[in-house]
């Protein structure tokens, strides 16, 4: 299978053109890393308490517009929060959501997907029903219930709630992959030699799945961020310091467009765009890793 | 039927009903887990208008009794199941005596009208682009332009909306919308209403195509490339068939299966994903209704909408599962 | 996704483009809906480029009003007795007329359908006289029979609007003659007319026509029938069309008021209430003169509207522009749990809060701080000024922001603080959880600022946004530390009502729903003074004594903190219509969404 050759090529070989180094993948990773690094630098250099309400003067424009000041280089919004501080705090929060949702749904997806795909039968039926059920429940309903019980909603709690329902997709994807891989020659050989099931699953099949898993991870992370951004727009996200998504939605509710306060919604939008485009490029890049036939195709 | 055994179909349909029941049960309990009920929502809204509602405690008690909210949970649950089975969604609790069916009926055309148009358009555009991107004989110009169009995909959609508003309305100061804008926003009845739904849908449909065709394109491209190496295509070209014929009759047709799968599933899941954006922009669809229902703890509205959602999603999944072998004869569910 | 696929050789692309199906679906749906409603905004804004000279003759006689309450889910429901009915999309402004109207500016109760409503000396028998010659829109006479019928329906059905107060106060109601009704109350009530029949806040008791309603179930009757021209009420307009986003009413020439020489027919021939989903759309339409009155704007939106449309005015000619709303904004503390059951701790909170900053940031300067829980109207403010002249605000400096004093109090209670950390006592942090309702942006904005101020002062204050059902339920049941709310609302011209809300007899244990006094403040002396006020006639001099005594106790104990006056920023477009109610022309308060809007509509004149 193409996947096997691929992994053997990629791991530890000194190939001049490893498929993992294709420009799209690299560009995407660089973009995401850029956001991360810049925000980490910002955390050290800038005063992030300015992201709290009532900490700065209201409605200042960025410093290059008359009326702006270097004390708040990207301007402020109508609750007295500094935009630069918001971006510095919000960027990592967004990435954190992606990470938590991505990892959680991947871990659950791997465990359940392998179980369902490899073991089949009743196990498969149960897991499939569970995932179908999870698909139909709006995460909003769960979020509202939980927000009534937690003291203050924070990023981790919200991410876990999104992940709670996001695992259904990866589970199905991995299950489908496992199903087709199950019939491959090397797996049948492994079963014939009576190797223990976990060994087969993790030592034989998993390495070949890695590219798919990586692509799925990116997809979950991206989808998770999107879902969280939407939930934050409803005002149910982390309360004290809004994430990027909440900042944009507060900008809309505060009539920022009308008031000409383009920096309020514009700067978080740009950061979000960089993150999403980065993840998207990584996804395309991984797609090429997975499907060697795509590598030569122009465009 | 080739690929499907009777046993499989029966089991699958059984699972279908079971999944619907399981989801419906979960959605019965979840809204009731949060403190609060539709009556307190009603009363709180009244106090926000009238400053103070006299006799609120007595009012709450009387309404709770009328709605049967003090009955044992099992009784309420059985009542709920019976209602769902007969599609009798009852009255909205927070906006009594409005019927849930009427509320949903008013919201549904907006959701379906727009999303149907947009999903289909996206599918067509994205698939076409993906096919063209993978085809060997696509003109060079297109090859350069197409990937650029895909970068729109990465942007969160309501943010794309804001950017468009800013660009078209406030920066450029022009946006041609055919027909009077007041008409667009007044759903009349019958023809006028449908006309306004379509008018509402045309513009955003175009933006939708921009923003989400990327994924369809990529998927199609992936499949097309896989298919491109197949022997039967070499044979078809050797036979001298016209390139476009080869493209559509062989390459596309073989590559399209997963796309169709995704399309059917996408149509099934239409209602669920719209809550957030509808709320933000005040669009009158099912998503906004669901959000309102959830914040008001309006159990009957939540139950009604989610039940429809469950039905459409699970049915779509069932259909996909069952027609897969029909579309692709290589697929079989039979035991080896 | 599919069972046991046997795809020999073909790649299984259940992943499309590297993203899971689920994300794909979500994305598709998201995009689907994202820019869709932008069409609304875009379409609305497109109007701002349209040719203004294209206004037809008909448009000149139309009044376009903004409905602030969102989409109306049931435009075929016209039953004013049930709580789910939307009464401010033109119903009680154009169709149903009130008996009396309370004028906040003059403090007088003005007659409309009613002529007079007087009581006997013991304030327990009230006699209502209505004008002669009032007719319903179908020609039937509006008389005492309808009033008696309506009251009896309320007395029999506890779930209806105003049923609870009628059941509490009214013993018997009887028709004396065609235009006179007599109410016999169970106990004396000097505020009977004021509270229920005078549009005190937002609406008043609506009388329904007996000849249509007899025999119908008042809980489920929709009262809507196009063929028979239902809904039938007495106002000068008839319902022309109703949809979730737009309500249209046309003037009818056979209005009783014109015939009876009460007032001439109102000038606007057509009224339209239009639902505007977001503030941007609201402002866009108002800029283009497509809305003559806008319901409630934020400061920034109003200023940008003013910059674009020179004909726009508001209640006040300059900042803070806004009109003071009756329900003062509070920070309510749960007096039943420690440490907030200690009055000194509550006062410490008060010193830690800076009301000026709250007004500046959360309200962007459009209101004023509140030192007492009465709204900013002349009649009740007279009582507050009385407190000032008695020196109570020097004894209890409620408006003072003094973080050092707060520090003193905390330390005297045994709390210690290291550096910028939080106060701790016995290993536990000093915490305060503030609950705010998600739906009301204004409320959680000021909650956020309070949260930050308290954090600076060393209290671990967190703000939690809850869905409205949960928030309301928690408030009533006492399951909160602190809430930002308006639960002292009620008094607009006389002091008793709001004070009585915190009478000790309303205190119920936590976990049980409370009628009022959700903060569970129990003070017997205060309650005694409030009781002394209860049966004094309105405006009586004897009110002052007990009032001051009760207020002194309240100030000392400070069970809840008044923060700022609420406000509504209305905007009126004077290009087509003049005669709006403003502070310079204050014939009434400017509330076009209340049942007293009839007076405003009658006062409007075309601008040309």
């Amino acid at each position: 299978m193409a996947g096997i050759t691929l992994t053997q090529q990629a791991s530890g070989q000194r190939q001049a053109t490893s498929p993992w180094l294709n420009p799209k993948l690299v560009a995407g990773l660089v973009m995401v890393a850029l956001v991360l690094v810049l925000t980490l630098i910002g955390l050290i250099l800038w005063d992030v308490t300015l992201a709290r309400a009532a900490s700065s003067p209201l409605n200042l424009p960025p410093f290059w517009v008359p009326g702006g000041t270097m004390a708040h280089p990207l301007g402020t919004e109508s609750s007295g929060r500094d935009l630069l501080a918001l971006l510095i705090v919000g960027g990592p929060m967004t990435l954190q959501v992606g990470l938590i949702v991505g990892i959680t749904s991947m871990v659950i997806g791997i465990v359940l997907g392998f179980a369902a795909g490899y073991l089949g039968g009743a196990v498969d039926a149960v897991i499939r029903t569970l995932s179908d059920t999870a698909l139909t429940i709006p995460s909003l309903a769960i979020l509202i219930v939980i927000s009534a019980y937690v003291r203050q909603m924070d990023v981790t709690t919200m991410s876990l709630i999104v992940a709670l329902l996001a695992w259904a997709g990866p589970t199905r994807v991995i299950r489908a992959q496992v199903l087709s891989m199950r019939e491959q020659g090397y797996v049948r050989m492994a079963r014939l030699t009576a190797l223990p099931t976990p060994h087969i699953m993790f030592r034989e099949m998993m390495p070949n799945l890695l590219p798919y898993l990586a692509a799925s991870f990116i997809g979950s992370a991206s989808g998770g961020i999107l879902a969280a951004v939407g939930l934050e727009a409803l005002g149910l996200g982390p309360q004290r310091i809004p994430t990027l998504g909440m900042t944009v939605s507060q900008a809309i509710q505060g009539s920022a467009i009308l008031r000409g306060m383009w920096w309020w919604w514009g700067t978080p939008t740009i950061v979000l765009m960089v993150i999403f485009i980065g993840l998207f490029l990584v996804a395309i890049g991984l797609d090429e890793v997975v499907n060697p036939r795509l590598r030569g195709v122009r465009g | 039927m080739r690929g499907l055994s009777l046993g499989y179909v029966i089991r699958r349909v059984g699972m279908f009903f079971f999944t619907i029941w399981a989801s419906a049960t979960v959605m019965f309990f979840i809204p009731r887990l949060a403190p609060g009920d539709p009556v307190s929502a009603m009363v709180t809204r009244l106090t926000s208008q009238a400053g103070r509602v006299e006799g609120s405690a007595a009012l709450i008690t009387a309404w709770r009794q009328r709605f049967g909210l003090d009955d044992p949970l099992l009784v309420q649950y059985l009542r709920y199941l019976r209602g769902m089975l007969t599609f009798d969604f009852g009255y909205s609790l927070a906006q009594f005596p409005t019927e849930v069916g009427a509320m949903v009926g008013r919201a549904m055309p907006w959701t379906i009208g727009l999303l149907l148009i947009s999903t289909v358009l996206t599918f067509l555009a994205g698939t076409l682009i993906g096919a063209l991107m993978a085809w060997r004989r696509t003109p060079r110009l297109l090859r350069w332009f197409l990937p650029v169009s895909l970068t729109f995909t990465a942007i969160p959609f309501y943010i794309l909306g804001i950017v468009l508003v800013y660009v078209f309305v406030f920066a450029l100061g022009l946006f041609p919308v055919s027909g009077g804008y007041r008409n667009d926003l007044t759903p009349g009845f019958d023809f006028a209403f449908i006309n306004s739904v379509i008018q509402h849908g045309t513009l955003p449909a175009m933006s939708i195509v921009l923003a989400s065709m990327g994924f369809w394109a990529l998927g199609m491209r992936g499949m097309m490339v896989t298919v491109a190496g197949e022997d039967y295509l070499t044979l078809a070209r050797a036979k001298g068939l016209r390139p476009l014929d080869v493209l559509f009759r062989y390459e596309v047709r073989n590559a399209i299966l997963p796309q169709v799968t995704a399309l059917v599933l996408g149509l099934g899941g239409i209602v669920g994903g719209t809550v957030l954006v509808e709320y933000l922009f005040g669009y009158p669809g099912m998503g906004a209704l669901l959000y309102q229902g959830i914040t008001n703890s309006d159990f009957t509205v939540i139950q009604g909408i989610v039940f429809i959602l469950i039905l459409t999603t699970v049915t779509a999944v069932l259909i996909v599962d069952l027609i897969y072998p029909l579309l692709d004869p290589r697929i079989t569910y039979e035991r080896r | 996704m599919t069972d046991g696929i046997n795809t020999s050789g073909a790649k299984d692309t259940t992943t499309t483009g590297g993203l899971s199906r689920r994300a794909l679906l979500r994305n598709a749906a998201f995009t689907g809906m994202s820019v869709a409603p932008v069409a609304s905004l875009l379409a609305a804004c497109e109007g701002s480029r349209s040719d203004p000279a294209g206004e037809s003759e008909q448009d000149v006689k139309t009044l376009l009003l903004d409905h602030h309450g969102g989409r109306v889910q049931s435009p075929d429901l016209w039953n004013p007795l049930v709580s789910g009915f939307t009464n401010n999309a033109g119903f009680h402004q154009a169709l149903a007329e009130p008996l009396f109207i309370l004028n906040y500016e003059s403090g007088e109760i003005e007659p409309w359908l009613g002529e007079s409503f007087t009581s006997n000396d013991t304030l327990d028998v009230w006699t209502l006289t209505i004008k002669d010659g009032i007719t319903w829109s179908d020609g039937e006479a509006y008389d005492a029979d309808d009033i008696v019928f309506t009251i009896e329906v309320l007395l029999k059905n506890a779930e209806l609007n105003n049923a609870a107060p009628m059941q509490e106060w009214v013993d018997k109601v009887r028709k004396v003659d065609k235009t006179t009704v007599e109410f016999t109350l169970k106990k004396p009530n000097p505020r009977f007319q004021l509270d229920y029949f005078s549009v005190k806040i937002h609406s008043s008791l609506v009388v329904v026509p007996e000849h249509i309603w007899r025999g119908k179930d008042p809980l489920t009757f929709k009262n809507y029938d196009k063929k028979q021209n239902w809904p039938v009420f007495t106002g000068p307009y008839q319902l022309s069309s109703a949809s979730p986003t737009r309500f249209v009413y046309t003037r009818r020439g056979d209005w009783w008021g014109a015939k009876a020489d009460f007032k001439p027919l109102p000038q606007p021939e057509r009224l339209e209430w239009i639902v505007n989903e977001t503030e941007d759309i609201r402002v866009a339409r108002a800029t283009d003169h497509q809305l003559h009155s806008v319901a409630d704007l934020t400061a920034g939106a109003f200023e940008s509207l003013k910059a674009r449309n020179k004909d726009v005015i508001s209640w006040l000619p300059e900042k803070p522009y806004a009109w003071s709303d009756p329900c003062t904004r509070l920070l309510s503390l749960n007096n039943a749990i420690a440490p907030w059951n200690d009055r000194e701790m509550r006062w410490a909170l008060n010193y830690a809060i800076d009301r000026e900053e709250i007004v500046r940031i959360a309200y962007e300067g459009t209101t004023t701080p509140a030192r007492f829980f009465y709204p900013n109207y002349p009649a009740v403010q007279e009582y507050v000024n009385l407190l000032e002249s008695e020196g109570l605000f020097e004894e209890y400096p409620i408006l003072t922001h003094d973080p050092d004093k707060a520090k003193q109090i905390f330390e005297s209670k045994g709390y210690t603080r290291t550096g910028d950390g939080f106060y701790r006592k016995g290993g536990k942090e000093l915490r305060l959880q503030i609950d705010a309702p998600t739906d009301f942006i204004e409320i959680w904005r000021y909650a956020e600022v309070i949260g930050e101020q308290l954090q600076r002062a060393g209290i671990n204050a967190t703000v939690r946004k809850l869905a409205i059902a949960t928030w309301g339920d928690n408030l009533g049941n006492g399951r909160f530390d602190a809430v930002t709310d308006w639960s002292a609302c009620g008094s607009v011209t006389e002091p008793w009502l709001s004070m009585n809300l915190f009478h000790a007899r309303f205190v119920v244990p936590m976990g049980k729903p409370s009628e009022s006094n959700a903060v569970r403040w129990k003070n017997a002396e205060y309650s005694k003074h409030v009781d002394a006020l209860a049966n004094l006639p309105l405006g009586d001099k004897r009110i002052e004594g007990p009032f001051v005594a009760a207020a002194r106790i309240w100030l000392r104990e400070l069970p809840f903190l008044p923060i700022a006056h609420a406000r509504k920023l209305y905007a009126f477009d004077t290009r087509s219509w003049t005669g709006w109610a403003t502070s310079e022309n204050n014939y009434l308060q400017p509330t076009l969404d209340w049942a007293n809007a009839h007076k405003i509509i009658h006062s409007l004149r075309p601008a040309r």
Side-chain angles (χ1 to χ4, degrees), chain B residues 126-179:
Chain B
T127 307
L128 190 63
I129 290 180
L132 284 176
M133 276 169 69
W135 196 34
R136 316 164 341 142
R137 301 182 62 126
T138 310
R140 302 204 71 177
L141 209 62
L142 273 182
R143 270 201 213 279
W144 279 108
F145 163 74
L146 293 175
V148 171
S149 64
L150 297 186
T151 47
F152 282 113
T153 309
I155 307 172
F157 306 111
Y158 77 90
I159 289 181
L160 181 62
I162 303 175
V163 172
L164 279 180
V165 167
Y166 182 68
V167 166
F168 283 104
V169 180
F170 292 95
L172 295 182
L174 57 84
F175 198 89
V177 173
S178 57

Side-chain angles (χ1 to χ4, degrees), chain C residues 8-60:
Chain C
S8 41
K11 174 179 173 205
D12 178 22
T13 47
T14 42
T15 19
T16 44
L19 284 145
S20 73
R21 275 270 146 72
R22 181 148 168 80
L24 175 73
L25 298 182
R26 239 202 220 104
N27 284 333
F30 258 107
T31 354
M33 288 325 299
S34 70
V35 191
V38 169
S40 326
L41 179 53
L42 288 169
C45 292
E46 187 267 352
S48 53
R49 312 294 154 200
S50 66
D51 182 6
E55 261 185 79
S56 64
E57 258 312 301
Q58 197 210 16
D59 289 344
V60 176

Side-chain angles (χ1 to χ4, degrees), chain A residues 275-290:
Chain A
I275 294 179
F276 271 102
I277 293 180
L279 288 176
F280 182 67
L281 287 174
V282 170
I284 305 184
L286 284 175
D287 204 32
E288 287 193 3
V289 169
V290 160

Side-chain angles (χ1 to χ4, degrees), chain A residues 211-295:
Chain A
Y212 288 101
L213 293 180
S216 197
F217 170 78
I218 296 295
S220 297
S222 187
I225 295 179
L226 200 62
V229 159
L231 290 175
E232 290 154 11
L234 292 174
L236 296 163
Q239 307 290 20
R240 185 140 185 236
I241 297 187
T243 57
L244 297 176
M246 268 197 102
T247 307
V248 175
S249 86
Q250 279 177 2
I252 299 176
Q253 283 169 346
S255 308
I257 302 178
L258 209 61
R259 295 162 75 164
M261 291 172 66
W262 53 267
W263 59 93
W264 190 1
W265 57 269
T267 44
T269 301
I270 292 176
V271 175
L272 275 173
M273 277 171 64
V274 169
I275 294 179
F276 271 102
I277 293 180
L279 288 176
F280 182 67
L281 287 174
V282 170
I284 305 184
L286 284 175
D287 204 32
E288 287 193 3
V289 169
V290 160
N291 193 348
R293 286 198 179 124
L294 285 173
R295 283 180 229 145

